[in-house]
Amino acid sequence: MIEVEHLTKSYGQARAVNDISFKVEKGEILGFLGPNGAGKTTTMRILTGYLPATGGTARIAGFDVFEQSMEVRKRIGYLPETPPLYPDMAVGDYLAFVARIKGVAAGDVGKRVEAAMKMTNIADRKDWLIKKLSRGYKQRVGIAQAIVHNPDVVILDEPTVGLDPNQIKEVRKLIKDLAGEHTIILSTHILPEVEMTCDRVVIINRGKIAAIDTTSNLTTQLKGGERVRVVVRGGGNGLPGSLSALEGISRVEREGEASGDLSAFMIESEQGTDLRPEIAARIVKEGFDLLELRAVSLSLEDIFMQLTTEEKAA
Amino acid sequence: MNIGVLTLSYTNVAYSDLEELFPMKSILAIYRREMNGYFVSPIAYIVIGFFLVATGLVFSLILSFVMQSAMMAAMQQRMGPPPDIDVPMLVIRQFVGFVGTYVMPLLLPMLTMGVYAEERKRGTMEMLMTSPITELQIVLGKFLASLSFFALMLAPTLIYHFVMGQFSEPAMPWRIMWSGYLGLFLLGAVLIAIGSFISSLTENQIIAGVVTFVIFLMLLFLDLTMRNSSSAVGEVFKYLSILQHHETFAQGVIDTSSIIFYVSMAALGVFLTLRNLDSMRWRRA
Ligand SMILES: Nc1ncnc2c1ncn2[C@@H]1O[C@H](COP(=O)(O)OP(=O)(O)OP(=O)(O)O)[C@@H](O)[C@H]1O
Ligand SMILES: [Mg+2]
């Protein structure tokens, strides 16, 4: 349904998107995961025909997003980073307007607006002026306008930003319901979001694809490396060497931030291992005062670091 | 049977071609949204209110001034033939001249300043530009809406003339009134086209409004300095002065070259806006 090949976008000298390629099958939900400035929005803007690419091609439903922009635009619904709302319009009027410019036949506009409001759970706000809605409702109106014309492809730029936990759940459910009939691309900063909603994930960092895989593969892989943080009294001299000798430990690093006469270390072990007992025993045996020992889960930042360093090594 | 299917698909093709060549539906959608936007905007009501108050005041001032001069002339010539002062015609001319030269250039920037700038600031431009409509449809829908709103604003001022017509001594020169208003309408179209173009250049409607205002002031200044010049250069500038042409309409002359001038100036403004939206898509870097 969506084929992206060697897509590149430069702003002047800076490369916001650098040679990315991926495919999305019909009915699939693809997650675009990346930190600020990774190039998620830029990629989506190219797909929707809002921005021209500097190089490479992108096709949606077989149509080139640049050469056959009109055909592409007929088939996509798009929620930009900031929901495109007219504050002085009522929700229902606004959705009817969007339906009309998206080419919904005049006789179907009412029906489509009702359906979109029902799906996004905003039917009770139909006559409200948009400016009077809360942030979460505005976001839902934004999603409603992206699906009001029943497009084949739905592109959502950070659809759950600004929602409360209940609304986030609802929106994720909505996105899952939309899949199957629609092909969906969504972007997010949040790893669990991808885990919960997406079939496949593209991890993008500084305009490049750092990883691309099914969600289940990626999450096990990413959760693989275990990390333990320990704090001991004294300088801890010799401790890294001693710990590294333990089987299964891949790396021991001193952390700079420990205060006074304390020393902190970050210990990484191989996937699927839990070496906390061994680590504790070794430290005590070496005669250090063990003050703290704690498993550290990988943050998104760590994952990026991991992925990008791995890439360099390869 | 086959023929039926053929005809059916033929008409479908014809319909979609027509829709593509002359895509009224989307223009209408943009137009309607824009009009609704005006009717919920306080700025639009301020502009209408100010316009009606200003024009009403100007009309009554001009009327009393012209009537006074006519009376004076009549008194001075008590013995001779009746004075040759056509009060309603003078009033219409001066009114149209004043409204076109001073009131419209001051107020119309407020109607056009937000047309594109706000759309860009709100992020709704991104939605419009990724919808299956062309830039031409967006630009035409918006232009026609601003123009209609201006016409709605201008229409009530006709009442002043109708009231005057009730009491007018030499019969009311309706022809001059209508051609004067045609001139105002065309001038409005040009000013709106220019103002909309300037609005499309920025995300800040205040900047758009101020720049439009300053440009109109410069037009006015140019017009006033060239008015009395008779050199060749002066003649050229007179032709190019946007504010000059509507006064020929107020003479009751529907001058084709003036119509062409106005229509092409408005078309130029629309075209520049279109080019700007187009290039925004490709230049946005
Ligand atoms: N109009 C622009 N001009 C110049 N640089 C830009 C422009 N838009 C984006 N960039 C740059 O391109 C890079 C990618 O930006 P983009 O908005 O695509 O990131 P993102 O992944 O959507 O980030 P976020 O999570 O913050 O939304 C950034 O470094 C950004 O500074
Ligand atoms: Mg973004």
Side-chain angles (χ1 to χ4, degrees), chain A residues 238-253 266-268 275 279 282:
Chain A
L239 189 60
S242 166
L243 286 175
S244 302
L246 274 177
E247 185 154 354
I249 300 279
S250 49
R251 202 152 63 110
V252 180
E253 230 171 59
M266 187 62 81
I267 304 158
E268 272 182 35
L275 297 178
I279 292 170
R282 174 65 60 102

Side-chain angles (χ1 to χ4, degrees), chain A residues 188-210:
Chain A
T188 176
H189 297 117
I190 313 163
L191 184 60
E193 178 142 309
V194 169
E195 278 183 68
M196 274 179 257
T197 42
C198 303
D199 304 313
R200 280 193 319 131
V201 192
V202 171
I203 296 186
I204 174 170
N205 188 28
R206 296 192 195 179
K208 286 197 166 189
I209 290 185

Side-chain angles (χ1 to χ4, degrees), chain A residues 45 49-50 52 73 78 86, chain B residues 119 126 129 131 281 284:
Chain A
R45 285 180 159 174
Y50 185 67
R73 288 192 245 162
Y78 174 39
Y86 295 98
Chain B
E119 205 92 52
E126 189 163 353
M129 300 285 268
S131 294
R281 195 191 289 282
R284 208 177 284 116

Side-chain angles (χ1 to χ4, degrees), chain A:
Chain A
M1 198 63 174
I2 303 173
E3 300 149 293
V4 174
E5 278 166 24
H6 304 297
L7 204 63
T8 299
K9 172 74 192 177
S10 306
Y11 292 112
Q13 289 296 309
R15 291 220 152 164
V17 172
N18 195 350
D19 192 22
I20 67 171
S21 306
F22 63 88
K23 272 189 187 172
V24 192
E25 300 301 327
K26 189 172 181 335
E28 218 177 10
I29 308 181
L30 179 85
F32 239 68
L33 184 64
N36 290 129
K40 305 181 294 290
T41 299
T42 304
T43 308
M44 292 182 152
R45 285 180 159 174
I46 294 171
L47 290 180
T48 55
Y50 185 67
L51 273 183
T54 313
T57 58
R59 298 179 149 268
I60 290 183
F63 297 103
D64 188 288
V65 296
F66 179 77
E67 303 287 343
Q68 296 153 302
S69 178
M70 269 306 161
E71 293 303 321
V72 170
R73 288 192 245 162
K74 279 180 200 163
R75 290 168 176 79
I76 55 166
Y78 174 39
L79 171 68
E81 213 160 28
T82 38
L85 307 173
Y86 295 98
D88 288 319
M89 277 181 111
V91 172
D93 294 342
Y94 166 71
L95 291 175
F97 165 67
V98 177
R100 285 195 197 97
I101 62 169
K102 300 285 180 183
V104 172
D108 297 336
V109 168
K111 219 169 49 196
R112 285 304 314 162
V113 169
E114 294 296 328
M117 286 196 302
K118 201 164 161 224
M119 275 194 270
T120 49
N121 232 332
I122 53 173
D124 56 331
R125 295 290 194 278
K126 183 176 183 191
D127 297 321
W128 282 48
L129 289 185
I130 289 173
K131 66 180 168 196
K132 302 214 164 143
L133 297 177
S134 68
R135 182 122 160 66
Y137 266 97
K138 282 183 185 152
Q139 189 72 12
R140 286 197 249 175
V141 176
I143 297 174
Q145 67 78 35
I147 58 176
V148 71
H149 52 303
N150 203 12
D152 295 336
V153 174
V154 181
I155 297 179
L156 306 169
D157 200 351
E158 308 201 13
T160 57
V161 159
L163 302 183
D164 70 34
N166 280 328
Q167 293 170 337
I168 289 180
K169 244 196 233 160
E170 271 175 35
V171 167
R172 286 179 187 159
K173 186 174 167 300
L174 166 70
I175 291 170
K176 294 207 88 138
D177 291 345
L178 286 174
E181 216 179 309
H182 308 264
T183 307
I184 299 173
I185 298 187
L186 64 87
S187 74
T188 176
H189 297 117
I190 313 163
L191 184 60
E193 178 142 309
V194 169
E195 278 183 68
M196 274 179 257
T197 42
C198 303
D199 304 313
R200 280 193 319 131
V201 192
V202 171
I203 296 186
I204 174 170
N205 188 28
R206 296 192 195 179
K208 286 197 166 189
I209 290 185
I212 176 164
D213 209 334
T214 61
T215 311
S216 47
N217 281 350
L218 217 51
T219 37
T220 40
Q221 185 193 324
L222 291 177
K223 283 186 173 158
E226 311 290 336
R227 297 213 287 175
V228 176
R229 185 173 185 271
V230 299
V231 178
V232 299
R233 199 187 302 282
N237 293 328
L239 189 60
S242 166
L243 286 175
S244 302
L246 274 177
E247 185 154 354
I249 300 279
S250 49
R251 202 152 63 110
V252 180
E253 230 171 59
R254 182 185 284 274
E255 287 206 330
E257 59 211 58
S259 58
D261 61 340
L262 304 181
S263 308
F265 297 92
M266 187 62 81
I267 304 158
E268 272 182 35
S269 58
E270 279 158 18
Q271 282 188 34
T273 55
D274 186 359
L275 297 178
R276 275 177 293 180
E278 287 83 350
I279 292 170
R282 174 65 60 102
I283 291 173
V284 173
K285 203 181 115 203
E286 296 277 330
F288 293 101
D289 290 341
L290 178 60
L291 300 179
E292 187 185 326
L293 185 151
R294 162 163 75 85
V296 181
S297 56
L298 287 179
S299 68
L300 192 54
E301 288 305 315
D302 301 324
I303 294 165
F304 283 112
M305 277 177 35
Q306 216 178 356
L307 285 166
T308 43
T309 44
E310 265 170 28
E311 216 173 54
K312 266 178 211 147

